[in-house]
Amino acid sequence: MVHTQKMGLIWFIPILCLLFSPSSAEIAAKPGVNYGQLGNNLPHPKKSVELIKSLKAGRVKIYDANPRILKALANTNIQVSIMVPNEIITAMAPNQSLADEWVRSNVVPFYPKTMIRYLLVGNEILSQPDNVTWFNLVPAMRRIRKSLVFYKLKKIKVGTPLAMDCLEASFPPSSGKFRSSVSESVIKPLLQFIHRTKSFFFIDVYTYFAWVPDPVNIKLDYALLQPNVSTYTDPITGLLYTNLLEQMLDALYFAMKDAGYPDTRLFIAETGWPNGGDIDQIGASIYNAAIYNRNVIKRFTEKPPRGTPLKPFVVLPSFIFALYNENQKTGAGTERHFGLLYPNGTNIYEIDLSGKTALSEFKKPLPVPTNNEPFKGKIWCVAARGANRTALAGALSFACGQGNSTCDPIQRGGKCFKPDSLTWHASYAFSSYWAQFRKSGGSCYFNGLATQTAKNPSIGSCKFPSVTL
């Protein structure tokens, strides 16, 4: 994307837009939180629910139908979203009995004491390589909807969260268009289902991931929703954008308009900003995470609702990602650093999901960010402190098994054989593997056994390979 920056323009909206649309009146903003469970150090569900209350969340979304969590949420007046796992969608699509059984086991025992309001079928299905599941998604949603009707649970809306990669064009926003590979076969049936059942198009939208590839042309403050900093004007429509989130959402609205469903309601299923990450990951910090999430909550709770330039004064219900930093999430370091809370339940930074706390009322100073510019220098990948030795040995074998003489220097008699320790050999193997395979997708993670360092671990004639940024 290339973003033109224009300063000092005034965003004018006709006064007639102050009238609320019927769809806006049907749902309150009530920002909520995504309660992920990919951690081996997370509090008990009862404690977690108390923490969710302390954050003043109006909603919570879980990624399954965990009965312990659903029981803990009973009689709390917190709206709940649960999820059918990706793995059973293809089996459920032709099988009404399977859908009935899933609803009977995972919804009926908890409703209405637990205020289940949304049942999401799968998670980011169109981002997965399994295209068989793509084409079974909407049929499975129809099965689930039929089951809810059968059990007289018509208040529960059915949806599915997609990522922004469901679009093949998004810039300028007016060019928004769904991927041609799924537009006719998946998206249009999905939009038809949403229209018929008065549900929502659930979308995971992260300005962070849109900003990272192009931090020069996309200003950081524009991605963080900072006010009065920079703007972008769509050259086709003349619509003025004051932050990247509105720009991304309008690209989706334009895509739905192009598909023939211009009045479909959006629900922000995930948004957030990482509070930490790897050395080679720009902009992931406690400061930026606090600024983004505070701004986005303020944005979603404005009265009257602000909407977007294309859809002014439309309510945007939302879930912030995520409740905790989750140490068992795989991938880059940012994946384990999206939490509002540490696993011990303490706040990473002050936050109020109700939006009732003014930004000026957050008093605790935020640490100054140090990685808003790309890191310049060498990085090594070494074994993490306290890594399980059995798992470390397996990861060492994997790294050395990839060829390209990755581990020749740590063989007996090699320059890096000594000290003859598992941790030393694994650290060399991890650095060597990452240096060779980073550009083709290799990561410094190894199931949590590795970590990046800017301190050269080389000793004497043993020179560790590095990645240079």
PDB file of all heavy atoms in Angstrom, residues 15 25 177 263 362 385 388 398 448:
ATOM      1  N   ILE A  15     -25.266  16.821   8.189  1.00  0.00           N
ATOM      2  CA  ILE A  15     -25.978  16.694   9.464  1.00  0.00           C
ATOM      3  C   ILE A  15     -27.039  15.616   9.427  1.00  0.00           C
ATOM      4  O   ILE A  15     -27.382  15.024  10.450  1.00  0.00           O
ATOM      5  CB  ILE A  15     -26.618  18.060   9.852  1.00  0.00           C
ATOM      6  CG1 ILE A  15     -27.038  18.047  11.326  1.00  0.00           C
ATOM      7  CG2 ILE A  15     -27.802  18.378   8.954  1.00  0.00           C
ATOM      8  CD1 ILE A  15     -25.876  18.022  12.273  1.00  0.00           C
ATOM      9  N   ALA A  25     -29.299   0.688  16.056  1.00  0.00           N
ATOM     10  CA  ALA A  25     -30.031   0.731  17.313  1.00  0.00           C
ATOM     11  C   ALA A  25     -30.204  -0.651  17.922  1.00  0.00           C
ATOM     12  O   ALA A  25     -30.533  -0.781  19.087  1.00  0.00           O
ATOM     13  CB  ALA A  25     -31.396   1.381  17.083  1.00  0.00           C
ATOM     14  N   LYS A 177     -12.368  -5.439  -2.761  1.00  0.00           N
ATOM     15  CA  LYS A 177     -12.957  -6.543  -3.511  1.00  0.00           C
ATOM     16  C   LYS A 177     -12.528  -7.859  -2.893  1.00  0.00           C
ATOM     17  O   LYS A 177     -11.379  -8.012  -2.475  1.00  0.00           O
ATOM     18  CB  LYS A 177     -12.505  -6.470  -4.971  1.00  0.00           C
ATOM     19  CG  LYS A 177     -13.304  -7.335  -5.924  1.00  0.00           C
ATOM     20  CD  LYS A 177     -12.927  -7.025  -7.367  1.00  0.00           C
ATOM     21  CE  LYS A 177     -13.839  -7.787  -8.328  1.00  0.00           C
ATOM     22  NZ  LYS A 177     -13.504  -7.468  -9.749  1.00  0.00           N
ATOM     23  N   ASP A 263     -25.423  -3.351   2.817  1.00  0.00           N
ATOM     24  CA  ASP A 263     -25.930  -2.994   4.151  1.00  0.00           C
ATOM     25  C   ASP A 263     -25.582  -4.029   5.214  1.00  0.00           C
ATOM     26  O   ASP A 263     -26.151  -4.016   6.313  1.00  0.00           O
ATOM     27  CB  ASP A 263     -27.450  -2.805   4.091  1.00  0.00           C
ATOM     28  CG  ASP A 263     -27.835  -1.655   3.169  1.00  0.00           C
ATOM     29  OD1 ASP A 263     -27.123  -0.630   3.201  1.00  0.00           O
ATOM     30  OD2 ASP A 263     -28.822  -1.789   2.420  1.00  0.00           O
ATOM     31  N   PHE A 362      -5.662   7.810  32.754  1.00  0.00           N
ATOM     32  CA  PHE A 362      -4.680   6.741  32.933  1.00  0.00           C
ATOM     33  C   PHE A 362      -3.382   7.380  33.410  1.00  0.00           C
ATOM     34  O   PHE A 362      -2.728   8.127  32.682  1.00  0.00           O
ATOM     35  CB  PHE A 362      -4.460   5.985  31.622  1.00  0.00           C
ATOM     36  CG  PHE A 362      -5.677   5.230  31.140  1.00  0.00           C
ATOM     37  CD1 PHE A 362      -6.311   5.595  29.965  1.00  0.00           C
ATOM     38  CD2 PHE A 362      -6.184   4.162  31.861  1.00  0.00           C
ATOM     39  CE1 PHE A 362      -7.430   4.915  29.513  1.00  0.00           C
ATOM     40  CE2 PHE A 362      -7.300   3.460  31.422  1.00  0.00           C
ATOM     41  CZ  PHE A 362      -7.936   3.836  30.249  1.00  0.00           C
ATOM     42  N   ARG A 385      16.632 -20.021  28.021  1.00  0.00           N
ATOM     43  CA  ARG A 385      17.008 -20.423  29.374  1.00  0.00           C
ATOM     44  C   ARG A 385      15.942 -21.349  29.961  1.00  0.00           C
ATOM     45  O   ARG A 385      14.745 -21.085  29.857  1.00  0.00           O
ATOM     46  CB  ARG A 385      17.177 -19.186  30.257  1.00  0.00           C
ATOM     47  CG  ARG A 385      17.618 -19.478  31.675  1.00  0.00           C
ATOM     48  CD  ARG A 385      17.862 -18.190  32.437  1.00  0.00           C
ATOM     49  NE  ARG A 385      18.956 -17.407  31.847  1.00  0.00           N
ATOM     50  CZ  ARG A 385      19.341 -16.231  32.297  1.00  0.00           C
ATOM     51  NH1 ARG A 385      18.717 -15.679  33.343  1.00  0.00           N
ATOM     52  NH2 ARG A 385      20.337 -15.583  31.714  1.00  0.00           N
ATOM     53  N   ASN A 388      13.488 -27.413  28.223  1.00  0.00           N
ATOM     54  CA  ASN A 388      13.448 -28.840  28.532  1.00  0.00           C
ATOM     55  C   ASN A 388      14.515 -29.570  27.723  1.00  0.00           C
ATOM     56  O   ASN A 388      14.584 -29.450  26.507  1.00  0.00           O
ATOM     57  CB  ASN A 388      12.060 -29.385  28.203  1.00  0.00           C
ATOM     58  CG  ASN A 388      11.955 -30.874  28.429  1.00  0.00           C
ATOM     59  OD1 ASN A 388      12.314 -31.663  27.577  1.00  0.00           O
ATOM     60  ND2 ASN A 388      11.442 -31.252  29.587  1.00  0.00           N
ATOM     61  N   PHE A 398      16.326 -31.800  14.671  1.00  0.00           N
ATOM     62  CA  PHE A 398      15.570 -31.220  13.558  1.00  0.00           C
ATOM     63  C   PHE A 398      16.419 -30.198  12.802  1.00  0.00           C
ATOM     64  O   PHE A 398      16.510 -30.219  11.573  1.00  0.00           O
ATOM     65  CB  PHE A 398      14.294 -30.555  14.062  1.00  0.00           C
ATOM     66  CG  PHE A 398      13.611 -29.713  13.012  1.00  0.00           C
ATOM     67  CD1 PHE A 398      12.796 -30.292  12.054  1.00  0.00           C
ATOM     68  CD2 PHE A 398      13.807 -28.330  12.975  1.00  0.00           C
ATOM     69  CE1 PHE A 398      12.186 -29.519  11.069  1.00  0.00           C
ATOM     70  CE2 PHE A 398      13.202 -27.542  12.002  1.00  0.00           C
ATOM     71  CZ  PHE A 398      12.387 -28.149  11.044  1.00  0.00           C
ATOM     72  N   GLY A 448       9.139 -22.814  21.256  1.00  0.00           N
ATOM     73  CA  GLY A 448       9.423 -22.106  22.495  1.00  0.00           C
ATOM     74  C   GLY A 448      10.774 -22.411  23.106  1.00  0.00           C
ATOM     75  O   GLY A 448      11.093 -21.905  24.194  1.00  0.00           O
TER      76      GLY A 448
END
